[in-house]
Amino acid sequence: MNHPGITGPRGLPLPDLSAAFPGPFPSSPHADAVERHLRQWTDKFDLLATRDARSALCNITGQGVARAVPDADVDGLALCAELFLWLVAFDDVHGEATAAEDPVLLVDRVAELSRVLADDNALAGPDDPVTAGLRDLLRRLKARATPTQYLRLAGHLRDNLVGLVWEAHHLTQPDRVTVQTYCAMRPYTVFVYTLMATAPIVLSYDLSDAQRASAPVRQLETAVANLAGWVNDLASHVREADRLQAAPLSLPTVLMAEHRLSFRQAFETASHMCEEEATVARELITELSASSTRPLAHHAAALECIAHSFIWHVDHDRYAAGPSQTVPPHLTTGSPSCP
């Protein structure tokens, strides 16, 4: 995804992000150790049904988070990786297609987890694996974070859960979602804001309220969040379409429906949007990196590494599609003008 002319699944064009984010991307020396730790952690909480699923998810999460926060100590890296893995595992097992078939069950699960987020010390009966895993994470995050950092992170986790409910509600009719609404919601279903909130905790820095509210910081966070979701959409679109046998809820799908584009036109449009957002992010990273205020420079560096992680992880086998070089009919479902 970092080289001109690169193509993705079925020969579809992927964005060239090499000017804004040239590789190779730095990675933590603890990456392999954290990946092994994740295997033990998922076994402890029994978060995924099969060992193959655990192995693949631990690999992409451990190696991906090692690029998102490469300067974190091993304990911070493991904590960040566990949190991201917990979110992805919950989405894989209880969200997406499973939730579309039984949305009430997802809502009930989200309500229980929201109660835990509101008070992780609340008395409860025996926890299911997902709830037990969340309690374990919150206890250790609270011990490492400042009170404000912890509340910010808990708020983003609630946003993630709401985003998954929203996603499940629209999964079977994605062409009814506007581009504007999709772009507003996508960062919550790709979990990027939660990763942004975890980075200061494990890297030991923080912004003041005024710094966090400043236009350059907000614009940079938005640009990186958009880039994370859109790049993931392009990498996973064909795989998700094959799995669902229908057009997935993703940026190409909503672009097709709203702007009456063919599938290839929508994919190319989304690719250009990624390139433009990467350029915006790079300009803001350069601006903030030059700041004499160290937390701003630290935050810019952290967001750059988070962008690296999302750009890197889309080449993982998790997003591999089948060998066919043609676009199957179900990819273009959902737009009346698609051929």
Side-chain angles (χ1 to χ4, degrees):
M1 183 157 295
N2 271 329
H3 305 285
I6 193 169
T7 57
R10 312 281 160 82
L12 294 165
L14 290 176
D16 173 19
L17 306 177
S18 58
F21 295 100
F25 301 144
S27 179
S28 169
H30 307 300
D32 292 342
V34 167
E35 181 181 340
R36 291 191 296 270
H37 168 79
L38 286 178
R39 296 174 194 272
Q40 297 173 348
W41 193 76
T42 53
D43 286 344
K44 175 182 177 181
F45 290 100
D46 196 26
L47 290 175
L48 291 165
T50 68
R51 186 161 295 275
D52 286 345
R54 294 182 194 185
S55 178
L57 187 54
C58 289
N59 176 258
I60 190 172
T61 304
Q63 299 297 324
V65 170
R67 289 159 174 81
V69 284
D71 295 327
D73 60 60
V74 65
D75 291 337
L77 185 67
L79 185 56
C80 187
E82 289 167 9
L83 180 62
F84 200 85
L85 185 144
W86 181 88
L87 282 164
V88 177
F90 179 79
D91 188 24
D92 283 357
V93 175
H94 301 291
E96 298 181 342
T98 301
E101 294 175 1
D102 191 351
V104 174
L105 179 60
L106 176 63
V107 170
D108 286 344
R109 288 187 176 276
V110 166
E112 170 62 21
L113 296 174
S114 297
R115 187 176 68 85
V116 174
L117 286 168
D119 183 4
D120 57 297
N121 291 316
L123 295 177
D127 286 334
D128 62 86
V130 171
T131 308
L134 180 60
R135 286 186 189 277
D136 177 66
L137 285 167
L138 294 178
R139 174 181 56 79
R140 290 184 291 129
L141 284 162
K142 180 177 286 187
R144 182 150 181 157
T146 68
T148 300
Q149 286 176 331
Y150 179 81
L151 289 174
R152 186 180 299 121
L153 177 61
H156 283 301
L157 285 168
R158 279 189 289 270
D159 290 341
N160 293 147
L161 296 175
V162 171
L164 294 180
V165 172
W166 172 86
E167 181 181 54
H169 179 70
H170 292 288
L171 192 66
T172 58
Q173 292 182 302
D175 54 315
R176 297 181 62 182
V177 178
T178 67
V179 173
Q180 184 178 26
T181 297
Y182 181 78
C183 290
M185 293 300 296
R186 180 56 172 137
Y188 303 115
T189 60
V190 81
F191 314 136
V192 61
Y193 282 133
T194 297
L195 191 53
M196 290 182 193
T198 310
I201 297 173
V202 301
L203 295 175
S204 302
Y205 77 90
D206 203 5
L207 303 182
S208 68
D209 290 343
Q211 290 167 344
R212 188 167 298 282
S214 67
V217 168
R218 289 187 291 105
Q219 291 165 3
L220 176 56
E221 290 181 346
T222 298
V224 171
N226 287 338
L227 185 62
W230 300 347
V231 164
N232 182 275
D233 281 352
L234 294 179
S236 64
H237 190 101
V238 171
R239 169 184 174 269
E240 290 299 306
D242 286 347
R243 183 175 64 83
L244 297 170
Q245 289 298 296
L249 178 58
S250 73
L251 184 58
T253 300
V254 297
L255 286 169
M256 277 193 293
E258 186 164 318
H259 297 294
R260 303 186 65 82
L261 303 175
S262 70
F263 175 66
R264 180 167 289 276
Q265 287 173 331
F267 212 90
E268 291 173 348
T269 299
S271 183
H272 289 313
M273 289 171 64
C274 287
E275 292 170 348
E276 292 171 354
E277 210 71 354
T279 299
V280 171
R282 169 51 56 196
E283 291 173 350
L284 290 164
I285 288 169
T286 300
E287 176 185 343
L288 290 172
S289 297
S291 171
S292 59
T293 305
R294 289 187 62 81
L296 289 176
H298 283 315
H299 197 55
L303 292 185
E304 179 172 12
C305 288
I306 289 171
H308 289 171
S309 176
F310 280 96
I311 294 168
W312 168 86
H313 87 282
V314 298
D315 289 325
H316 193 272
D317 289 345
R318 176 179 170 86
Y319 298 102
S324 171
Q325 294 302 306
T326 60
V327 178
H330 58 260
L331 279 176
T332 59
T333 302
S335 174
S337 63
C338 293

